[in-house]
Amino acid sequence: MNTREALTTPAPPAVTDLHASLTDPALTAMTFLNEVAERHPGALSLAAGAPYEGFYDVEDVHRALRVFTDHLRDERGYDAARVRRTLLQYGRTKGIIHDLIARHLAVDEGIDVDPEAVVVTTGCQEALVLTLRALRRDERDVLLAVDPVYVGVTGAARLLDMPVRPVAGGARGIDLADLRRAAREARTAGLRPRACYLVPDFANPSGLRLPLADRRALLEVAEEEGLLLLEDNPYGLFPLGEERLPTLKALDTRQQVVYLGSLAKTVFPGVRIGFAVADQPVPDSAGPLILADLLARAKSMFTVNTSPVAQAVAGGHLLEHDCSLLRATERVRAVYRENLRRLLRRLAVHFPAPSPVTWNSPQGGFFVVVGVPFDVTGDLLERSARDHRVLWTPLDHFHAGPPAPRALRLSASSLPPRRIDEAVDRFAGFVRAHTPAGP
Amino acid sequence: MNTREALTTPAPPAVTDLHASLTDPALTAMTFLNEVAERHPGALSLAAGAPYEGFYDVEDVHRALRVFTDHLRDERGYDAARVRRTLLQYGRTKGIIHDLIARHLAVDEGIDVDPEAVVVTTGCQEALVLTLRALRRDERDVLLAVDPVYVGVTGAARLLDMPVRPVAGGARGIDLADLRRAAREARTAGLRPRACYLVPDFANPSGLRLPLADRRALLEVAEEEGLLLLEDNPYGLFPLGEERLPTLKALDTRQQVVYLGSLAKTVFPGVRIGFAVADQPVPDSAGPLILADLLARAKSMFTVNTSPVAQAVAGGHLLEHDCSLLRATERVRAVYRENLRRLLRRLAVHFPAPSPVTWNSPQGGFFVVVGVPFDVTGDLLERSARDHRVLWTPLDHFHAGPPAPRALRLSASSLPPRRIDEAVDRFAGFVRAHTPAGP
């Protein structure tokens, strides 16, 4: 019977019988980048967006765990059995360090939020996935995202079959006219633009920071267009200078912003602790709810709860610094500043203006976008790693919109400061070797 | 403009503008159960399927972490920087204790599997979600599941918009004729049945264990019907007697079984470590792949990687017992046996045959299904908690198929042995108070 054959997929299945996200080019591109790095362990990495690990110490894990255990006993008044249960058993879906995260947001970001609006997640990626899951009701729902966009966002959206429509970033971080256009075009196509994703502070990969006036204007546009804003803020504590700008969430008086937080760069990635702040009231007949409660319901079916052991380590780390991650990151922030300054200075030494090689000058964060006078390919990255012993990231991996083959991303986060000049020297050698001779 | 209005959802959104899974009755039912338990802290719980915590000790976490750190240094030969990086940085998507889990499977289950086929996940729930994500290519793909089915399975499937079609469990764990019927009916309806989910050992909630002959026959039927089997095995180490049966995966010579593992009951829930074993070769033009590689791609977009700190604690625990969880659980297995025996014995004391109250006699695990001569409702649970100070779980929460209003689940896992008789006494009091007078 023909129908039966068509509906019987073989077990084991072919790749074409599986969900399309699993063979998405963005995913295979990321795998390729990692493989190049593994094949060339001697190459210096201006590719990795991983945090600087020079101050890491396994003993910090033990100490943080003890600090949190003491906190449960001394400040929350838990007896020994309850301390054990809190760390080792199943637990609250929204997490056990929500109060400490809320305190951090108040202390470091001027964000005042009820701890009940915080959902502690298995890294920021899960916070994003839960938010998209809630917002994608059916096939008409789409996400807007400032382009170029972090590959984790397009990946999460594809896993949930939610299309991503690009919004131009322009020179200031988001082009508000283009945001309006994107929202309206989506609606004209019969779609529902639900939210716009962006990193207002030192975006990945663009490095851009939204000026204060643009933040306020963005909140206005979002309200007019009926959009939530998904504000992802992994780099906000790392400006080059002293000035930090208020987050969108700090300016948000009408609950238009879902704030996505990560402790990967401020505690360490191995805790895999992130969070969502979702204080939006959600009308429901059964009683007062906020969006965080609904994200928690989705979480209970994705990962049940976030490891309380990992939360305890992050919580202890927060407690050790009075819940100020600005204070906790004093040493590493100095490294990031030094690294970004050196990288920009050294690029200027190698490519004095006028040059066919150009770059932007971010005011903080990890990333610099470099324009080069040749097409950037995977093959070129392999040759850069092999012949020049330096790694970087093609910008094309980040594009939801039109391709950008002549640009790449440099990251200044993971190398020690003393290796930055050398890495940029190698990078300059690579660029020169592939730059066509001038006219 | 009418169209524009319809496509502009308000921000903040109404509950009806969010994904339907978030207001699924199964989810709200679970919330209700938790709330009843919180309202009545003095009630003894025959509801909680959580593991017995009498042997928990926070110092075990520290010790396990040190054991794993030593293992990285002494057995894998990592230098101090690499040890730090392994525990604290981002890491391998498929995990860092895959080899230890593979060794556990060989030692305890007779399952021989390449460690590369193991994906370490944030609890078993994530392993299930990743597997369903891979298998649901489009709206035609459906999951079969032995009914009654664990609510986490229906929840995960609903999050991914994958319908669950019930297969009768019968008296032996799965009705194979009904499995064939379900697969064929799905195909007749134009759907693709991709896999059948079951817990062959002491299922939640039925407590049933598949006889060996049925396991072999199930593998045959699955092959004929083109179905993968999703074998979830959280309770297999806890038989009442000495005899354990081979898992489906141990009998699986043709890679028909994806094995879903949990360390929640054998290490502790707070590590949130589970895993999938997916050794299915997946034909792909780009080279040899196994299903585990594709689950890892999905994982990279859900949670990036599983906390290496949590993995280290689980890994240290495995190492301390030569990767035998049978050995690691010696003390707690004695508790589970004692509890289940006492619970069955005490039910027989209260309800000697013939009685309108009936129950099954599982050969192990945590759960017993009790039939009662009245409809079980949420309201009755509240009264049981308040007036009789005992908690249990309505069986209706677990049904993918027709309702079963006159049954409930008792769990013998979380109370200390000395409280079981008392809990059953209270439960018997509740049942008697609601049993209609005989004719």
Side-chain angles (χ1 to χ4, degrees):
Chain A
M1 193 171 89
N2 234 346
T3 316
R4 166 130 186 239
E5 273 167 12
L7 295 169
T8 306
T9 53
V15 109
T16 47
D17 286 322
L18 301 176
H19 191 252
S21 62
L22 306 186
T23 46
D24 194 275
L27 274 181
T28 43
M30 288 303 289
T31 309
F32 171 76
L33 295 186
N34 291 334
E35 284 168 358
V36 174
E38 271 170 39
R39 272 198 295 275
H40 303 281
L44 288 177
S45 184
L46 294 171
Y52 179 67
E53 62 193 36
F55 304 124
Y56 285 176
D57 185 343
V58 176
E59 285 308 312
D60 290 349
V61 175
H62 290 282
R63 199 184 58 250
L65 196 52
R66 292 198 197 281
V67 167
F68 189 76
T69 308
D70 291 350
H71 165 78
L72 291 180
R73 194 190 55 219
D74 301 338
E75 284 171 64
R76 295 203 200 171
Y78 288 10
D79 64 19
R82 192 164 177 198
V83 169
R84 286 197 297 272
R85 187 176 309 134
T86 302
L87 292 184
L88 305 182
Q89 269 287 13
Y90 293 105
R92 185 173 174 276
T93 307
K94 287 200 283 188
I96 59 171
I97 59 167
H98 53 303
D99 54 333
L100 303 180
I101 287 172
R103 233 200 285 171
H104 143 64
L105 291 170
V107 168
D108 291 325
E109 303 289 356
I111 297 173
D112 269 311
V113 75
D114 183 343
E116 286 297 325
V118 175
V119 183
V120 186
T121 55
T122 305
C124 188
Q125 185 71 19
E126 192 194 19
L128 175 65
V129 169
L130 298 178
T131 306
L132 297 186
R133 173 64 300 172
L135 293 178
R136 186 197 180 277
R137 188 179 59 178
D138 60 47
E139 65 290 344
R140 288 173 299 169
D141 296 304
V142 299
L143 177 68
L144 309 180
V146 171
D147 193 53
V149 59
Y150 166 53
V151 68
V153 176
T154 41
R158 272 170 213 176
L159 275 176
L160 299 173
D161 296 314
M162 189 175 197
V164 177
R165 301 193 136 219
V167 172
R172 295 158 67 88
I174 186 168
D175 177 332
L176 293 174
D178 199 59
L179 175 62
R180 285 189 196 276
R181 175 208 55 77
R184 286 167 187 190
E185 277 186 20
R187 285 192 291 262
T188 302
L191 303 171
R192 285 189 301 242
R194 299 301 299 266
C196 180
Y197 170 91
L198 75 164
V199 182
D201 287 278
F202 320 122
N204 179 8
S206 76
L208 295 177
R209 170 162 78 166
L210 248 71
L212 181 56
D214 297 54
R215 293 175 191 235
R216 295 192 196 280
L218 171 58
L219 288 162
E220 295 296 325
V221 172
E223 195 190 19
E224 285 164 33
E225 299 290 338
L227 296 168
L228 282 175
L229 296 173
L230 311 187
E231 176 180 40
D232 190 0
N233 186 25
Y235 314 109
L237 293 186
F238 311 129
L240 257 193
E242 287 307 316
E243 196 201 19
R244 292 173 56 226
L245 296 180
T247 60
L248 294 172
K249 191 66 194 163
L251 300 169
D252 177 32
T253 54
R254 287 168 300 218
Q255 282 118 8
Q256 294 174 262
V257 179
V258 175
Y259 183 91
L260 305 170
S262 167
L263 300 186
K265 278 81 184 179
T266 46
V267 178
F268 54 83
V271 286
R272 297 300 306 129
I273 300 289
F275 57 93
V277 179
D279 56 355
Q280 288 68 27
V282 179
D284 179 56
S285 57
L289 278 178
I290 54 175
L291 186 57
D293 298 317
L294 293 158
L295 299 186
R297 288 194 194 162
K299 179 171 173 63
S300 73
M301 297 296 147
F302 271 123
T303 57
V304 184
N305 61 331
T306 301
S307 166
V309 170
Q311 288 187 74
V313 173
H317 198 91
L318 280 161
L319 286 163
E320 287 189 283
H321 302 91
D322 294 331
C323 294
S324 170
L325 291 175
L326 202 61
R327 196 185 297 183
T329 53
E330 241 167 57
R331 285 191 302 171
V332 79
R333 280 188 292 124
V335 170
Y336 293 143
R337 277 190 181 132
E338 172 74 10
N339 278 8
L340 187 54
R341 279 199 190 114
R342 276 186 192 236
L343 186 138
L344 292 168
R345 221 158 40 206
R346 198 74 181 172
L347 282 173
V349 169
H350 281 289
F351 305 106
S355 165
V357 180
T358 56
W359 59 92
N360 63 358
S361 292
Q363 295 167 281
F366 292 3
F367 308 114
V368 174
V369 171
V370 180
V372 291
F374 50 85
D375 281 2
V376 171
T377 64
D379 183 52
L380 272 198
L381 174 60
E382 185 82 48
R383 284 153 73 185
S384 173
R386 189 190 61 207
D387 302 337
H388 302 274
R389 294 180 300 136
V390 64
L391 298 163
W392 37 264
T393 308
L395 208 66
D396 248 5
H397 291 123
F398 297 94
H399 274 268
R406 301 201 149 201
L408 49 81
R409 186 196 77 178
L410 299 183
S411 169
S413 64
S414 69
L415 290 176
R418 64 187 162 76
R419 305 301 296 273
I420 292 285
D421 283 3
E422 186 184 356
V424 177
D425 294 349
R426 294 183 187 187
F427 173 72
F430 155 76
V431 170
R432 280 197 205 96
H434 294 276
T435 298
Chain B
M1 194 171 89
N2 234 345
T3 315
R4 164 129 187 240
E5 272 168 12
L7 296 168
T8 307
T9 53
V15 108
T16 47
D17 286 322
L18 302 176
H19 191 253
S21 63
L22 307 186
T23 45
D24 193 275
L27 275 180
T28 41
M30 289 303 289
T31 310
F32 171 75
L33 294 187
N34 292 335
E35 284 167 358
V36 174
E38 271 170 40
R39 271 199 295 275
H40 302 282
L44 289 176
S45 183
L46 294 171
Y52 179 67
E53 62 191 36
F55 304 125
Y56 286 175
D57 185 345
V58 176
E59 284 309 311
D60 290 349
V61 176
H62 291 282
R63 199 184 59 251
L65 196 53
R66 293 199 196 280
V67 167
F68 189 77
T69 308
D70 292 349
H71 165 79
L72 291 180
R73 193 189 56 217
D74 301 338
E75 285 171 63
R76 296 202 198 172
Y78 289 10
D79 63 18
R82 193 163 175 200
V83 169
R84 285 197 297 272
R85 188 176 308 134
T86 303
L87 292 184
L88 305 183
Q89 268 286 14
Y90 292 105
R92 185 173 174 276
T93 308
K94 288 201 281 188
I96 59 171
I97 59 166
H98 53 304
D99 54 333
L100 303 179
I101 287 172
R103 234 200 285 168
H104 144 63
L105 290 171
V107 168
D108 291 326
E109 302 289 356
I111 297 173
D112 270 311
V113 75
D114 183 343
E116 285 298 325
V118 176
V119 183
V120 186
T121 54
T122 306
C124 187
Q125 185 71 19
E126 191 193 19
L128 175 65
V129 169
L130 299 177
T131 307
L132 297 186
R133 172 66 301 173
L135 293 178
R136 186 199 181 277
R137 189 178 58 177
D138 60 46
E139 65 289 344
R140 287 173 299 170
D141 297 303
V142 299
L143 176 69
L144 309 181
V146 171
D147 192 52
V149 59
Y150 166 53
V151 68
V153 176
T154 40
R158 273 171 211 174
L159 274 176
L160 300 173
D161 294 314
M162 188 175 199
V164 176
R165 299 194 138 218
V167 173
R172 295 157 67 87
I174 185 168
D175 178 332
L176 293 173
D178 199 59
L179 175 60
R180 285 189 197 276
R181 175 208 56 77
R184 288 168 187 189
E185 277 187 20
R187 285 192 291 262
T188 303
L191 303 171
R192 285 189 302 241
R194 300 301 299 268
C196 179
Y197 170 92
L198 76 165
V199 182
D201 288 278
F202 321 121
N204 179 8
S206 77
L208 294 178
R209 170 161 79 165
L210 248 69
L212 180 56
D214 297 53
R215 293 175 191 235
R216 296 194 197 278
L218 172 58
L219 287 162
E220 294 298 324
V221 172
E223 194 190 20
E224 285 164 33
E225 299 290 339
L227 296 169
L228 282 174
L229 296 173
L230 311 187
E231 176 179 39
D232 190 359
N233 185 25
Y235 314 109
L237 294 186
F238 311 128
L240 255 193
E242 287 308 317
E243 195 201 19
R244 292 173 56 225
L245 296 179
T247 61
L248 294 172
K249 190 66 195 165
L251 300 170
D252 176 33
T253 55
R254 290 170 299 219
Q255 282 119 6
Q256 295 173 261
V257 179
V258 175
Y259 183 90
L260 304 170
S262 167
L263 300 186
K265 277 82 183 180
T266 47
V267 179
F268 53 84
V271 286
R272 297 300 307 129
I273 300 289
F275 57 93
V277 179
D279 56 356
Q280 288 68 28
V282 179
D284 180 56
S285 56
L289 277 179
I290 54 175
L291 186 58
D293 298 318
L294 293 159
L295 299 186
R297 288 194 195 162
K299 181 172 172 62
S300 73
M301 296 297 148
F302 271 123
T303 57
V304 184
N305 61 331
T306 301
S307 166
V309 170
Q311 288 187 75
V313 173
H317 198 91
L318 280 161
L319 286 163
E320 287 189 281
H321 302 91
D322 294 330
C323 293
S324 171
L325 291 175
L326 203 60
R327 196 184 297 183
T329 53
E330 242 168 56
R331 285 190 303 171
V332 79
R333 280 188 293 125
V335 169
Y336 294 143
R337 278 189 181 133
E338 172 75 10
N339 278 9
L340 187 54
R341 280 197 190 116
R342 276 186 192 237
L343 186 138
L344 292 168
R345 222 159 38 208
R346 198 74 182 170
L347 281 173
V349 168
H350 281 289
F351 304 106
S355 166
V357 181
T358 57
W359 59 94
N360 63 358
S361 290
Q363 295 168 279
F366 292 4
F367 308 114
V368 174
V369 171
V370 179
V372 290
F374 50 84
D375 283 3
V376 171
T377 62
D379 183 51
L380 272 198
L381 174 60
E382 184 83 47
R383 283 152 73 183
S384 173
R386 189 191 60 206
D387 301 338
H388 303 274
R389 290 179 303 136
V390 64
L391 298 162
W392 36 265
T393 308
L395 208 68
D396 247 6
H397 290 123
F398 297 95
H399 275 269
R406 300 201 151 201
L408 49 83
R409 186 195 78 178
L410 299 184
S411 169
S413 64
S414 69
L415 290 176
R418 63 186 164 76
R419 307 300 299 272
I420 293 285
D421 283 3
E422 186 185 355
V424 177
D425 294 349
R426 295 184 187 186
F427 173 71
F430 155 75
V431 170
R432 281 197 204 97
H434 294 275
T435 298

